Amino acid sequence: MRIVIKIGTSTLAHAGGRLNIRRTEELCKVISDLKNSGMEIILVSSGAIGMGVGKLSLTKKPSDMATKQAAAAIGQCELMYVYDKLFSEYNHTVAQILITAADVRHEDRHRNFSTTLNRLLELDVIPIINENDSVATEEIVIGDNDTLAAIVATSARAELLVLLSDINGLYTADPHRDKDALLIPEVPELTEEILALAGDKGSALGTGGMKTKLSAARICTEAGCDMIIANGADPALLYDIADGKPVGTRFLAGGKS
Ligand code: GLU
């Protein structure tokens, strides 16, 4: 089974941007174990800007482009250092690929990206992908890693994309405001009614929200890939997902129910 796991900033880092060590260690341990069991795993990891903010001891995410891009450059090093260190403990090798929207739009570059991805998986490596935030500008920006993860999942012909976030899944209403909100376990089709459930607020350091997650679901399911939104606070949920147990909200690939 080939899966793409997207890890959001809120899963990896504390609110101020510093690494959440316990969570990240647990995550790398579970992912290593799943890989040992024979799964092919690709990670799409956010956290570059967040960790750059933490490392520079800034008080909040910068709003100007230059500082944001500088923070991404600093945080991306920290991010890969941490992944390399933790996955090495379990004898796994990681590789970094940074892309922009221009790479996806350009046919040759997109093909090269898929070829590299496939070769890394054949070499038994864990590819870790992020947007190249330090060079992306408005015209060539994907903008959020939910969309990036969906593009990666379809490029790699993955069977499943898992978005690990700070929420359990899609609810019938905003669970922070409405105590009667119910988790929707399965979405067979992205109807207007479902799309209307997206608010657009993400975490303070990340970029995505439910809106970007639903647009990722559209890209994935139209390409024949299931998508799950699950809470990254408990990395062991990935075992249940691998066992086919219901976790979070599952969006079924086109026509499946
Ligand atoms: N690429 C951004 C980062 O690594 C995150 C984008 C997102 O949160 O969706 O900081």
Side-chain angles (χ1 to χ4, degrees):
M1 185 183 187
R2 179 174 290 190
I3 78 168
V4 175
I5 301 170
K6 183 257 175 174
I7 307 169
T9 305
S10 57
T11 297
L12 283 176
H14 291 288
R18 295 270 181 182
L19 183 70
N20 185 329
I21 297 174
R22 183 167 53 175
R23 176 88 54 75
T24 308
E25 280 187 347
E26 180 68 13
L27 201 56
C28 292
K29 186 166 140 189
V30 173
I31 291 170
S32 295
D33 200 16
L34 290 175
K35 185 149 171 61
N36 287 349
S37 74
M39 277 173 118
E40 287 185 321
I41 297 174
I42 299 169
L43 298 185
V44 172
S45 181
S46 301
I49 297 176
M51 279 189 201
V53 167
K55 213 152 187 192
L56 290 167
S57 302
L58 303 178
T59 47
K60 59 177 176 46
K61 188 173 171 177
S63 49
D64 70 294
M65 194 65 148
T67 316
K68 229 192 271 183
Q69 294 192 309
I74 292 159
Q76 185 65 30
C77 292
E78 162 102 344
L79 200 56
M80 288 313 294
Y81 167 73
V82 167
Y83 281 129
D84 194 24
K85 178 175 179 289
L86 295 177
F87 281 117
S88 293
E89 283 178 17
Y90 300 103
N91 216 14
H92 288 296
T93 302
V94 296
Q96 167 188 270
I97 310 182
L98 299 177
I99 61 169
T100 63
D103 300 316
V104 178
R105 281 188 218 126
H106 191 284
E107 206 182 312
D108 284 354
R109 271 145 68 176
H110 194 172
R111 196 177 330 107
N112 278 346
F113 169 62
S114 304
T115 307
T116 307
L117 213 47
N118 280 316
R119 188 68 189 122
L120 286 168
L121 293 172
E122 282 165 13
L123 291 167
D124 208 23
V125 167
I126 303 174
I128 304 180
I129 299 158
N130 196 359
E131 182 155 11
N132 196 349
D133 294 312
S134 298
V135 303
T137 57
E138 227 163 278
E139 310 81 65
I140 57 157
V141 80
I142 296 169
D144 68 89
N145 277 4
D146 297 326
T147 307
L148 174 63
I151 293 169
V152 170
T154 57
S155 305
R157 297 184 191 284
E159 282 157 64
L160 178 66
L161 166 63
V162 180
L163 300 181
L164 292 180
S165 185
D166 56 357
I167 190 155
N168 294 337
L170 179 66
Y171 283 82
T172 51
D174 182 348
H176 302 298
R177 281 188 227 149
D178 184 346
K179 61 175 179 34
D180 294 326
L182 295 171
L183 181 75
I184 304 173
E186 194 172 275
V187 176
E189 202 187 337
L190 284 166
T191 56
E192 289 302 322
E193 220 180 343
I194 292 287
L195 295 173
L197 294 175
D200 52 9
K201 228 181 116 350
S203 69
L205 287 173
T207 306
M210 200 45 80
K211 211 172 194 161
T212 56
K213 287 177 180 47
L214 292 185
S215 85
R218 182 183 293 286
I219 297 170
C220 266
T221 53
E222 281 180 358
C225 173
D226 278 13
M227 189 187 101
I228 290 176
I229 300 173
N231 201 324
D234 180 11
L237 286 179
L238 290 170
Y239 285 123
D240 292 339
I241 291 174
D243 290 341
K245 294 184 186 153
V247 171
T249 301
R250 188 174 190 118
F251 298 81
L252 301 181
K256 260 171 57 178
S257 61

